[in-house]
Amino acid sequence: MTYKEILKQYWGYDHFRGIQEEIIENIGNGHDTLGLMPTGGGKSITFQVPALSKDGICLVITPLIALMKDQVQNLKRRGIKAIAVYSGMTREEILVALENCIFGDYKFLYISPERLDTEIFRIKLRSMKVSMITVDESHCISQWGYDFRPAYLKISEIRTLLPDVPVLALTATATPQVVEDIQQKLSFREGSRVFRMSFERKNLAYIVRPTENKQEELLHILTKMNGSAIVYTRNRKRTREVAELLTNHQITATFYHAGLNNDVKDLRQKQWQTGEYRVMVATNAFGMGIDKPDVRLVIHIDMPDSPEAYFQEAGRAGRDGQKAYAVLLYAKSDKITLNKRISDTFPDKEYIRKVYEDLQYFFQMAMGDGLGCTYAFNLDEFCRNFKHFPVQADSALKILTRAGYLEYTDEQDNGSRLIFTLRRDELYKLQEYDADTEKVLNTLLRSYTGLFTDYAYISEESLSVRTGLDRQKIYDTLIMLTQRRILHYIPRKKTPYIIYTRERVEKEHIHLNREIYEDRKDSYATRIKAMTEYATAEENCRSRMLLHYFGEKNRHNCGHCDVCLKKHESGISQAEYEKISNAITDLLKEKPLPIADLTATLPFSPSHMEQVVSYLVTEEIIHLQNGILHL
């Protein structure tokens, strides 16, 4: 089948959009490919179509569990075999999934970058017939990107295991420097190509609202405008506070952040998508992989720390092509707050060395010890004991991780575990269970082995599916059985860990080279500066500023951002003034012209042209002599 036949059969479309077909042809011919496509540009089609044309399975590497689940479900609905491996699955479930990829004729395996380094995955990978590798959110591989994730660096190791398999890297946000870095880190081979789709969103109006009362401005905007909305905040506590504010003013709202239970997150996302709630108040944990095309409004009540983050989050508005708005609320204090993030994210080197030394006392680590040791780590307790601020201490540990002295992870996922404390025969003697409890116990005994001898990892989601009970009921039942000493249940939790990758050294010997510290700090400061300039600009089109940041040059203004719509001193809008004045000066560069000829040549309103000419003459940008205009 041709690519267009595959597109028609599975998606019902007759034609590809934008640069989709060029990317598909290039990766289909076995060449490494980088695709730069804005949010809503149809990235998934660029790897799903060529993968269906090839024998074997497409390995899709993405950090977004929500996106994995969503795309797997969508592919299954189209009759395409796809599977995902992500945190929270039991070892048995992961083994079954990987075996299916070897023997089950699956076309897509979605996997997080952290899983690439596990022994079980690498063993099974050797037996898979992999047709292509797709790296989604590929900007995460670049140390110069705004969302660097060290686990992405493992992808190049996978390439050495699959040397002839082409790689398709996709991202919606990358500066020219990051584009180069992605290709280098992914070991792109000779013949590779980069395809760029314009990042311009003609239906999206970028607005900056200066205000010293953000809550009042937020209420004003949401009251005046209709439609589904997302409000982004900087921290978790603020999501709840803003959602309560909106609810108290009869605007239906809920909140979302990474610390919520997965069931709660799934429920709230669904309630927002179906319109039960009009507004989702969220941290940056929300939005990736969320396919809701009719979002009319994205409001940032707090300033993001990079144009990349802002562009991606703002781009979730208006994916249906209809008019939408991205509004940034800006107070004068935001500039100070943003600049403070630089010192918070990159504390002094002496402070970083002090955190390293305090960590040794925290774990009672002798000099020369440490290599290979792993410790559960409580950041709050550490900060209390040694009088550190959590934000700076967290940043120091991340820098020590990049420097190779340890591995600090705040995302180590400990799956749920349980063991029966009664013997099997004692369990069967008890007949006092209600129907739901009996259902849970029977399903546990059928689904897992060794529960009477050792802790076994379990999945509440799997138990929910097999029993027909909701996740909360499963949880409540297991807690009740624990209280009755029938079993011991340890719920899943995310525990930070410190892993020592080398022996303890004297703090004076901690070396933080320029690439680890100064270069990254400079890069972060540059992004902060660009974000501040965007928020405070009064003369430059917002859309043009964002496009320029991503290396896209264009002369035309968007015509509908707040800068373009404000009145110029000539009396017309800034956008129209620039359009007319550019056209006039371009003509006059060729030769002087009478005013009448100028008016007859250019396709603008005569009265507006008269206003612009008058302004340009008054400001001595052009000159009028004997009825002739010249520069």
Side-chain angles (χ1 to χ4, degrees), residues 207-275:
I207 311 291
V208 175
R209 283 281 176 87
T211 177
E212 296 307 313
N213 189 335
K214 292 189 177 186
Q215 292 189 355
E216 186 179 285
E217 188 64 30
L218 176 69
L219 289 168
H220 172 75
I221 293 168
L222 287 170
T223 304
K224 292 294 181 183
M225 293 188 62
N226 298 320
S228 179
I230 306 173
V231 176
Y232 280 108
T233 70
R234 179 70 181 170
N235 60 54
R236 296 176 181 184
K237 182 185 175 191
R238 203 147 150 82
T239 61
R240 180 193 295 273
E241 292 171 349
V242 173
E244 287 176 355
L245 170 76
L246 298 180
T247 302
N248 290 338
H249 285 79
Q250 287 71 55
I251 299 170
T252 56
T254 187
F255 64 94
Y256 184 110
H257 56 70
L260 296 173
N261 175 284
N262 284 338
D263 284 346
V264 174
K265 286 193 281 193
D266 290 346
L267 175 63
R268 290 183 181 178
Q269 180 184 315
K270 185 177 179 182
Q271 289 172 322
W272 174 73
Q273 286 183 302
T274 57

Side-chain angles (χ1 to χ4, degrees), residues 40 61 104 154 231 287 427 446 472 576:
I61 301 164
K154 301 291 182 185
V231 176
L427 182 66
R446 283 199 306 268
Q472 188 62 44
E576 192 172 9

Side-chain angles (χ1 to χ4, degrees), residues 503-546:
E503 68 285 346
R504 177 190 171 184
V505 298
E506 295 280 5
K507 72 170 185 174
E508 292 76 18
H509 296 153
I510 294 287
H511 177 61
L512 305 171
N513 65 33
R514 180 166 190 84
E515 186 177 313
I516 294 292
Y517 188 83
E518 283 86 359
D519 288 352
R520 284 186 57 77
K521 184 176 181 179
D522 290 348
S523 178
Y524 186 62
T526 299
R527 293 198 292 275
I528 293 281
K529 183 172 181 282
M531 199 64 228
T532 305
E533 287 174 350
Y534 172 84
T536 55
E538 295 181 353
E539 303 299 329
N540 299 321
C541 166
R542 307 277 180 209
S543 178
R544 278 182 70 182
M545 288 186 76
L546 289 170

Side-chain angles (χ1 to χ4, degrees), residues 42 139 143 206 213 225 290 303 413 417 457 595-596 614:
H139 60 270
Q143 293 204 54
Y206 295 100
N213 189 335
M225 293 188 62
I290 305 304
M303 287 270 286
D413 206 340
R417 295 173 292 158
Y457 284 99
I595 293 178
S614 174

